[in-house]
């Protein structure tokens, strides 16, 4: 059985010393009252306790037991309902919800750390409150005042949960194909009819009501993505006074049997003329759903980091205890029959890769969260627009890069355990099975790469990219001479990405396959370059204090590893992008 300890020290370092978020909060009126550095620290400490003490212990048993479906009802594993109640009563579901409706109004930079903790503790468990928080965000941004008053307080309190119903059997990536019907009724509501598949938390026994956000089509809607509307469809009808009424006409037909996240109910949902209420205007459903998806995509990216962090914690402990062979430089533990495997260069390579990727990912996801906060809370329209640009550009990177690297790091964590890593009781193989879905759902990673390259870069003629690149260059130009060791390779990396971006923009004008051919390797080149920026920011914060304590010295050593061993990956990725689309189409379809 593995244990989990929230990495509070690193989280505090990133918030307080790297990004100095308290200064930002002092400039954003909605946050000035709500939070300061001490409050944030106390919240994170509490979150560390509840995730490690209450939720993490259910991770393995939840995986073994899974969810059960019986005649439309879904039972979560033993301990889940009680743990969920504890979590909800602690106010964690509505932690960043709107205070006007009972939320706690915390900034995303704080809730992003909580997301990391709860997902490290138990990815399956984390999905229930995560979907609820996302649904609340969409309702709060796009629904009528009446719907907000009726639904948000109960959802923030965790009494009711949320789900996101997009996918249909024939429509996953291409949501323009969805067929679910929404027929207007005389009282202003809609009759929703259709089948949705793979719906996380579509049915379960954790809450008395489930609020589904469902994409559907009005009878006169245009074909494709421009004809989709969003509806709020409760499992149990809600009376005008907020009490629960009769069951709505919807049911869970079955649950999926999956590779991982076995304690998260993945449901087939049948809507049989269910009553729903429109959110936002007709045919604007995808835009309304995207409000939720930007947040969810960052949260899914964080899931990749969470699994990597949990795997790392176990792997370090194991590498210190497991003795095999002697160090190449001569015996280290002379009182033992062999040295602990942490002395071996290859084991150190794997541990350092995990550590550098996790800490870089934590800084990057916090940076994106900070942009979400500025976009939401700033009074300054220029600052808001600039932050919105960053969110648009970086969300697909956060989603895909953190989760792709989450798979790499959890595989390293398993490898460090040798044969034991393959055996269930050590917990490492579950993390690989769990993290794998994060590369697929919430838009497969290949689609994230297309979004980055196609919509966010080529679609904007490189303008959003240029603004981010300029920010990195300005940082590098202003950096002190002491940082030169890190700033020089960062400058080379951003110059490389500038050239690559210009090349793809140019080729995309004439080659229709260029974007798709370049996108995944381009996203990874972008990701490693962005992490180099994060590592340089972390070094700047740690450098002056390197003699104060081990934490700062280890930051610098890890940064050196990142720049020496991981950043150079961009040059091989760049060569792949430069090779263009031609070799992808040399084979006829029949030759596969
Ligand atoms: C455990 C689990 C939980 C889920 N939870 C939810 C949920 O809560 N709500 C919900 O609505 N859905 C949910 N999903 C569905 C999930 O979001 C979809 O599976 C995902 O978006 C991919 O869609 P698809 O499975 O139809 O694959 P497809 O769209 O059929 O794609 C198959 C492959 O083709 C690639 N591809 C498709 N189009 C292109 C293109 N234009 N260019 C390049 N490559 C392309 C994709 O990247 C992918 O690799 C869940 C799925 C799972 C497995």
């Amino acid at each position: 059985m593995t244990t989990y300890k929230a990495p509070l020290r690193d989280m505090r370092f990133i918030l307080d010393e790297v990004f100095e978020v308290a200064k930002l909060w002092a400039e954003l009126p909605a946050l000035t009252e709500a939070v300061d550095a001490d409050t944030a620290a106390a919240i994170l400490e509490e979150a560390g306790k509840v995730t490690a003490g209450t939720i993490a212990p259910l991770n393995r048993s939840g995986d073994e037991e899974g969810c059960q479906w019986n005649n439309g009802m879904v039972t979560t594993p033993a301990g889940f309902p009680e743990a969920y109640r504890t979590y909800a009563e602690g106010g964690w579901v509505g932690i960043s919800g709107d205070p006007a409706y009972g939320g706690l109004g915390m900034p995303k930079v704080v809730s992003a750390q909580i997301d990391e903790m709860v997902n490290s503790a138990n990815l399956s468990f984390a999905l229930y409150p995560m979907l609820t928080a996302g649904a609340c965000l969409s309702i709060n941004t796009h629904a009528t005042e009446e719907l907000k008053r009726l639904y948000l307080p109960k959802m923030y309190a965790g009494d009711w949960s949320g789900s996101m119903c997009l996918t249909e059997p024939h429509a996953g990536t291409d949501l323009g194909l969805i067929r679910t019907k929404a027929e207007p009724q005389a009282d202003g509501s809609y009759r929703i009819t259709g089948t949705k598949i793979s719906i996380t938390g579509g049915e379960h026994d954790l809450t008395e009501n489930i609020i589904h956000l469902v994409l559907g089509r009005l009878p006169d809607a245009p074909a494709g993505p421009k004809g989709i509307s969003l509806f709020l469809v409760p499992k149990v009808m809600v009376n005008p006074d907020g009490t629960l009424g009769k069951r709505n006409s919807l049911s869970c037909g079955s649950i999926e049997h999956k590779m991982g996240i076995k304690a998260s109910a993945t449901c087939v949902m049948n809507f049989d003329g269910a009553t729903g209420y429109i959110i936002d205007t007709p045919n604007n459903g995808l835009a309304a759903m995207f409000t939720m998806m930007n947040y969810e995509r960052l949260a899914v990216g964080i899931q990749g980091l969470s699994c990597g962090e949990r795997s790392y914690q176990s792997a370090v402990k194991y590498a210190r205890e497991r003795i095999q062979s002697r160090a190449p430089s001569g015996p280290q533990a002379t009182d033992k029959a062999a040295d602990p495997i942490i002395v071996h260069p290859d084991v150190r390579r794997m541990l350092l890769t995990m550590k550098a990727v996790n800490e870089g990912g934590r800084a990057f996801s916090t940076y994106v969260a900070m942009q979400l906060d500025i976009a939401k809370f700033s009074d300054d329209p220029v600052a808001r627009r600039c932050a919105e640009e960053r969110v648009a550009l970086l969300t697909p990177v956060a989603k895909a890069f953190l989760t792709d690297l989450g798979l790499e790091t959890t595989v390293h964590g398993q490898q460090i355990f040798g044969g034991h890593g393959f055996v269930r009781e050590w917990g490492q193989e579950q993390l690989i099975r769990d993290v794998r879905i994060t590369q697929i759902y919430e838009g497969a990673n290949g689609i994230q790469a297309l979004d980055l390259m196609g919509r966010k870069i080529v679609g904007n003629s490189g303008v959003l990219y240029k603004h981010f690149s300029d920010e990195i260059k300005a940082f590098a130009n202003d950096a002190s001479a002491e940082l030169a060791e890190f700033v020089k390779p960062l400058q080379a990396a951003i110059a490389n990405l500038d050239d690559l971006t210009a090349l793809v923009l140019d080729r995309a004008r004439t080659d229709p396959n260029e974007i798709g051919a370049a996108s995944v390797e381009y996203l990874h080149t972008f990701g490693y370059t962005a992490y180099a920026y994060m590592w340089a920011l972390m070094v700047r914060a740690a450098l002056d204090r390197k003699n104060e304590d081990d934490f700062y010295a280890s930051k610098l050593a890890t940064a050196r590893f990142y720049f020496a061993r991981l950043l150079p990956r961009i040059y091989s990725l760049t060569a792949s992008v430069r090779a263009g689309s031609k070799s992808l189409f040399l084979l006829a379809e029949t030759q596969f």
Side-chain angles (χ1 to χ4, degrees):
M1 162 121 157
T2 66
T3 52
Y4 168 67
K5 186 164 177 279
L8 292 174
R9 181 73 205 272
D10 200 43
M11 290 174 171
R12 292 288 309 278
F13 168 71
I14 288 169
L15 291 176
D16 299 342
E17 297 173 62
V18 178
F19 295 122
E20 300 183 304
V21 291
K23 281 191 192 163
L24 175 70
W25 297 338
E27 290 165 13
L28 303 176
L31 295 180
T32 314
E33 293 280 297
V35 65
D36 58 26
D38 290 343
T39 315
I43 289 174
L44 295 185
E45 193 145 325
E46 246 348 272
K49 283 187 202 149
V50 72
T51 51
T54 305
I55 297 165
L58 300 174
N59 194 40
R60 170 118 198 276
S61 57
D63 180 59
E64 296 286 342
E65 193 182 328
C67 289
Q68 313 297 328
W69 181 90
N70 187 4
N71 200 19
M73 313 262 281
V74 173
T75 314
T76 57
F80 269 55
E82 296 77 11
Y84 182 83
R85 205 56 353 244
T86 304
Y87 194 74
E89 282 167 8
W92 301 107
V93 180
I95 189 83
S96 55
D98 186 342
Y101 305 96
L104 294 179
M106 284 300 122
K108 185 68 199 169
V109 286
V110 172
S111 64
Q113 316 306 319
I114 300 167
D115 283 347
E116 183 193 320
M117 293 183 214
V118 64
N119 279 297
S120 280
N122 192 327
L123 191 64
S124 287
F125 179 94
L127 281 161
Y128 297 102
M130 190 173 128
L131 266 297
T132 306
C136 287
L137 192 78
S138 225
I139 295 169
N140 195 28
T141 315
H142 300 281
T144 59
E145 188 56 35
E146 193 189 345
L147 288 177
K148 289 200 241 182
R149 295 232 165 267
L150 208 49
Y151 288 89
L152 287 177
K154 288 283 194 183
M155 293 177 81
Y156 286 146
D159 294 338
W160 302 347
S161 67
S163 90
M164 180 171 97
C165 302
L166 287 68
T167 308
E168 297 182 7
H170 62 287
T173 300
D174 191 353
L175 290 171
L177 300 175
I178 68 167
R179 291 184 194 135
T180 293
K181 281 192 307 191
E183 298 159 295
Q185 303 299 294
D187 64 356
S189 68
Y190 292 79
R191 260 173 74 87
I192 311 292
T193 307
T195 298
K196 298 285 179 180
I197 63 162
S198 301
I199 304 307
T200 300
E203 177 59 39
H204 55 74
D205 57 359
L206 303 180
T207 55
E208 59 188 7
N209 203 0
I210 302 174
I211 313 305
H212 305 285
L213 294 195
V214 183
L215 288 182
R217 273 183 193 291
L218 297 170
D220 55 353
K226 295 211 167 104
I228 297 174
S229 305
L230 182 62
F231 301 89
L232 183 159
V233 187
K235 169 180 159 181
V236 184
M237 298 301 293
V238 179
N239 299 317
D241 64 357
T243 55
L244 293 180
K246 63 178 176 48
R247 272 289 301 248
N248 204 350
S249 308
L250 61 94
S251 59
C252 172
S254 61
I255 58 173
E256 305 297 348
H257 301 281
K258 315 186 292 286
M259 171 182 178
I261 56 163
K262 289 173 188 271
S264 165
T266 308
C267 306
V268 172
M269 296 301 301
N270 299 315
F271 296 88
D272 301 311
T275 300
Y277 308 96
I278 196 159
I279 293 182
D280 209 297
T281 48
N283 302 328
N284 203 29
L286 275 187
M289 193 56 112
F290 266 98
T291 307
M292 173 172 181
M293 283 166 81
N294 265 343
Y295 273 76
E296 297 290 349
R297 284 181 176 168
L298 175 60
V300 171
I302 290 172
Q303 293 184 327
L305 158 64
S306 299
C307 291
E309 171 64 31
R310 179 97 189 237
S311 180
Y312 173 72
Q313 291 188 12
S314 301
V316 174
K317 185 165 177 288
Y318 187 82
R320 288 202 181 106
E321 288 167 1
R322 173 76 173 168
I323 58 165
Q324 288 295 292
S325 317
R326 288 296 183 189
S329 56
Q332 306 286 306
T334 46
D335 57 327
K336 298 204 170 99
D339 286 331
I341 59 171
I342 199 164
V343 304
H344 301 304
D346 186 50
V347 173
R348 297 178 76 87
R349 174 188 66 83
M350 291 188 279
L351 284 174
L352 270 159
T353 299
M354 296 174 86
K355 182 168 161 56
V357 163
N358 291 345
E359 292 175 18
R362 186 170 298 123
F364 184 63
S365 52
T366 304
Y367 175 86
V368 179
M370 200 165 69
Q371 307 304 322
L372 280 166
D373 284 336
I374 299 169
K376 185 169 167 189
F377 295 113
S378 178
D379 282 344
D380 174 357
V382 178
R384 242 187 1 249
R385 207 194 60 234
C386 179
E388 279 161 6
E389 276 189 356
R390 290 286 188 288
V391 170
L393 181 72
L394 300 180
T395 297
V397 183
K399 194 291 180 172
F401 194 59
L402 268 83
T403 56
D404 281 351
L405 292 191
L407 182 68
E408 180 182 337
T409 51
T410 51
V411 169
H412 286 322
Q414 180 185 47
Q415 192 75 9
I416 288 166
F417 274 70
H420 290 134
F422 202 67
V423 173
R424 285 169 86 115
E425 70 183 83
W426 293 85
Q428 294 298 71
E429 60 84 42
Q430 184 193 340
L431 292 168
I432 296 170
R433 288 188 287 103
D434 283 354
V435 82
R436 188 65 184 86
I437 186 60
T438 65
Q439 297 176 293
I440 298 171
Y441 62 17
E442 206 52 53
N445 282 2
I447 303 303
Q448 302 299 324
L450 277 182
D451 180 41
L452 172 71
M453 186 89 261
R455 284 232 291 276
K456 309 294 169 54
I457 300 213
V458 176
N460 279 282
S461 310
V463 172
L464 297 194
Y465 169 76
K466 185 178 178 308
H467 292 167
F468 183 57
S469 164
D470 286 347
E471 176 185 321
I472 298 178
K473 285 179 205 151
F475 161 80
N477 289 338
D478 292 347
S480 69
E482 272 183 298
L483 282 176
E485 171 193 351
F486 305 97
V487 162
K488 278 198 175 145
L490 174 63
Q491 283 172 318
I494 197 70
N496 173 68
L497 193 58
D498 281 356
D499 289 349
L500 200 60
T501 306
L503 178 80
V504 177
L505 275 167
D506 183 48
R507 281 186 180 162
R509 275 191 265 277
T510 48
D511 179 359
N513 287 318
E514 172 64 21
I515 294 172
S519 55
V520 167
E521 279 106 342
Y522 177 87
L523 183 144
H524 278 233
T525 312
F526 193 121
Y528 285 113
T529 306
Y531 275 28
Y533 177 37
M534 296 299 120
W535 270 107
L537 289 169
M538 287 193 275
V539 169
R540 184 177 66 177
L543 207 55
D544 288 345
R545 310 184 70 179
K546 64 176 184 294
N547 298 322
E548 260 176 48
D549 83 38
D550 215 32
F551 176 84
Y552 299 105
S554 110
K555 268 285 163 203
L556 287 182
T558 311
R560 290 199 168 98
F561 173 83
Y562 182 81
F563 280 92
R565 297 288 300 240
L566 299 185
L567 182 61
R569 290 181 181 184
I570 59 173
Y571 297 108
S572 129
L573 290 162
T574 296
S576 295
V577 176
R578 285 189 177 280
S581 69
K582 208 169 157 197
S583 63
L584 294 175
F585 290 90
L586 296 176
L587 224 56
E589 223 176 290
T590 51
Q591 291 175 299
F592 278 96

